[in-house]
Amino acid sequence: MLFQKIPKSEYEAAILYYSDKAIQGETVQDVLENSKLLLRQELAKIPDEKVNYQYGFGKWTVGEVLQHIISYERIMTERALIIAGVVTSDFKYQNYTQASTAIGGKSKSKAELVSEFLEVREETIKMFQQFNQAQLRKVGRLDGFKTSVRMICLCISGHQGHHFNVLKNKYRVL
């Protein structure tokens, strides 16, 4: 599996919070494609009428959780581009907060969120396909922690898995 192939010199332990939860795969492309399959399966389970459900006062709605995952993926793909040396200026997502990543999730239907999620994942897959092996192994800083581009891929997948577990265990919609 990909994670076992990545030497510890490519990351710091803090990155493992999400990367440890990544979907299995031999390559970056396998991880992203396998995550996309799970994404489709899990999103299909969420009843349309539950998109505005909150399990407690002050908690995000299901739609906001989904928007947060989508926004996080956009942020992480930009970070991967930066570390790989592809993008060096005009960062769209350099200033964000947890709350800002969920903005818009309340006003979208499940169909709109699913469509956006799948579009973002396709963009992510295409972007990672363009990286060569040297770029995938390139190490930089992500929120102050050392990580490689391919570890960011695992973080994207693991972040999705983490929040799908929250939707299953706390929201009870999966």
Side-chain angles (χ1 to χ4, degrees), residues 74-143:
R74 285 185 171 124
I75 292 163
M76 292 302 108
T77 55
E78 181 177 88
R79 302 289 170 81
L81 286 165
I82 293 164
I83 292 172
V86 176
V87 174
T88 57
S89 62
D90 298 327
F91 308 130
K92 271 178 146 175
Y93 305 111
Q94 64 186 28
N95 297 316
Y96 72 94
T97 63
Q98 288 293 340
S100 71
T101 61
I103 292 173
K106 273 188 178 177
S107 63
K108 295 177 184 173
S109 69
K110 178 188 166 189
E112 290 170 317
L113 288 161
V114 169
S115 176
E116 184 178 353
F117 211 150
L118 291 171
E119 286 173 19
V120 169
R121 181 53 53 89
E122 285 303 318
E123 291 169 11
T124 301
I125 290 168
K126 287 176 187 173
M127 185 195 75
F128 274 90
Q129 284 173 341
Q130 294 176 17
F131 292 140
N132 61 39
Q133 288 302 310
Q135 288 171 314
L136 287 170
R137 289 181 172 92
K138 192 166 179 186
V139 175
R141 308 296 289 175
L142 175 63
D143 296 332

Side-chain angles (χ1 to χ4, degrees), residues 44-73:
K45 294 177 188 176
I46 300 172
D48 292 354
E49 66 275 5
K50 291 287 190 176
V51 75
N52 289 314
Y53 170 73
Q54 297 171 269
Y55 74 87
F57 179 76
K59 299 298 180 184
W60 285 343
T61 65
V62 170
E64 288 172 313
V65 172
L66 296 176
Q67 187 66 61
H68 166 73
I69 303 168
I70 294 165
S71 297
Y72 177 90
E73 185 159 335

Side-chain angles (χ1 to χ4, degrees), residues 4-45:
Q4 286 79 26
K5 296 177 185 177
I6 300 175
K8 291 183 180 182
S9 61
E10 287 188 27
Y11 62 90
E12 290 180 28
I15 298 300
L16 299 176
Y17 183 76
Y18 289 134
S19 61
D20 275 358
K21 297 168 183 70
I23 302 299
Q24 295 296 310
E26 290 292 325
T27 67
V28 165
Q29 291 305 311
D30 290 344
V31 169
L32 291 172
E33 289 290 347
N34 293 343
S35 293
K36 183 176 81 173
L37 290 174
L38 181 64
L39 168 71
R40 287 179 180 275
Q41 293 167 357
E42 296 298 293
L43 292 177
K45 294 177 188 176

